[in-house]
Amino acid sequence: GAVVSQHPSWVICKSGTSVKIECRSLDFQATTMFWYRQFPKQSLMLMATSNEGSKATYEQGVEKDKFLINHASLTLSTLTVTSAHPEDSSFYICSAVGWTTNVREQYFGPGTRLTVT
Amino acid sequence: AQSVTQLGSHVSVSEGALVLLRCNYSSSVPPYLFWYVQYPNQGLQLLLKYTSAATLVKGINDFEAEFKKSETSFHLTKPSAHMSDAAEYFCAVSDQSSNTGKLIFGQGTTLQVKP
């Protein structure tokens, strides 16, 4: 089946630094990717919608200057957490939408655990 | 606007017993509904989805769910729980009548399976 990967799977960074998370669709082209955030013991909250070749659409309350999203190709979207702080520590999950075996589906990545110290 | 409510943040069953996880939805468009399972420190795995076809949807690992429009519900069931079913379960609704829109998730239900 279709696979979506995320890199890194976990990252620890110091407060004030930036960290980039990659989301790749490995065997299909993804015109749309979604970025979600999940705090411990909580549900997933949509952060933004990323469309290839255009600016991302952010959900209300998500700072676009802090969470930079770039969807530069049909197989790659990146989320950069700028000037990270401990409260940004979370599990970040992406999903990718694309055509696989004549069906348009949405697939989730395995997630990236970010810890800011 | 779309939303889902999962009744019961924690459900505990004995191994071999029926599993019932409740989900009610609200949608301004014909809903597309999903159940996902998440194991610790892992991503989401799709169990099943309702896409306006049959109201009784069968998924992986003997899970199934029934769409009931009159009750705005999409409860997840499994006849016999296995220890390996212990995980977090999320119900979700798409923001559009498709399976490729952004998803609005419920709060999640932790399923505990006792030996």
Side-chain angles (χ1 to χ4, degrees), chain A residues 32 34 36 38 41-46 49 59 91 93 97 103-106 108-111 113, chain B residues 6 34 36 38 41-44 46 49 88 90 96 98-108:
Chain A
T32 300
F34 299 104
Y36 295 84
Q38 183 180 31
K41 305 294 184 183
Q42 295 189 30
S43 187
L44 284 79
M45 298 296 294
L46 180 69
T49 303
E59 295 299 302
F91 195 51
I93 302 176
V97 176
V103 178
R104 193 161 182 260
E105 290 282 2
Q106 179 171 179
F108 280 84
R113 173 79 57 194
Chain B
Q6 292 182 239
F34 308 80
Y36 287 89
Q38 184 180 36
N41 295 311
Q42 294 187 28
L44 301 180
L46 179 66
K49 61 184 176 184
E88 189 77 14
F90 292 98
Q96 55 188 258
S98 80
N99 61 341
T100 55
K102 61 185 181 183
L103 298 181
I104 295 91
F105 287 87
Q107 306 90 318

Side-chain angles (χ1 to χ4, degrees), chain B:
Chain B
Q2 282 67 255
S3 67
V4 290
T5 301
Q6 292 182 239
L7 301 176
S9 60
H10 190 100
V11 171
S12 181
V13 300
S14 298
E15 191 174 19
L18 171 72
V19 175
L20 171 61
L21 304 182
R22 300 178 186 273
C23 173
N24 287 89
Y25 71 91
S26 172
S27 179
S28 56
V29 298
Y32 276 53
L33 296 157
F34 308 80
W35 274 101
Y36 287 89
V37 61
Q38 184 180 36
Y39 295 97
N41 295 311
Q42 294 187 28
L44 301 180
Q45 181 181 10
L46 179 66
L47 287 175
L48 49 81
K49 61 184 176 184
Y50 169 75
T51 59
S52 76
T55 57
L56 182 62
V57 181
K58 294 186 182 299
I60 61 172
N61 300 336
D62 295 327
F63 282 97
E64 63 180 39
E66 186 172 9
F67 173 72
K68 292 187 176 181
K69 185 177 180 179
S70 60
E71 300 177 7
T72 62
S73 69
F74 190 58
H75 302 331
L76 181 71
T77 61
K78 180 172 179 175
S80 176
H82 290 257
M83 297 297 292
S84 60
D85 294 326
E88 189 77 14
Y89 291 79
F90 292 98
C91 180
V93 62
S94 175
D95 76 321
Q96 55 188 258
S97 290
S98 80
N99 61 341
T100 55
K102 61 185 181 183
L103 298 181
I104 295 91
F105 287 87
Q107 306 90 318
T109 298
T110 302
L111 176 65
Q112 179 187 26
V113 182
K114 298 176 291 185

Side-chain angles (χ1 to χ4, degrees), chain A residues 6-50:
Chain A
Q6 287 185 236
H7 178 79
S9 55
W10 60 270
V11 58
I12 301 173
C13 71
K14 291 186 181 297
S15 185
T17 62
S18 296
V19 60
K20 179 184 288 187
I21 301 170
E22 295 184 347
C23 176
R24 292 183 185 272
S25 57
L26 298 184
D27 51 3
F28 66 99
Q29 294 184 329
T31 53
T32 300
M33 289 184 176
F34 299 104
W35 286 96
Y36 295 84
R37 179 170 55 186
Q38 183 180 31
F39 291 109
K41 305 294 184 183
Q42 295 189 30
S43 187
L44 284 79
M45 298 296 294
L46 180 69
M47 299 176 66
T49 303
S50 169

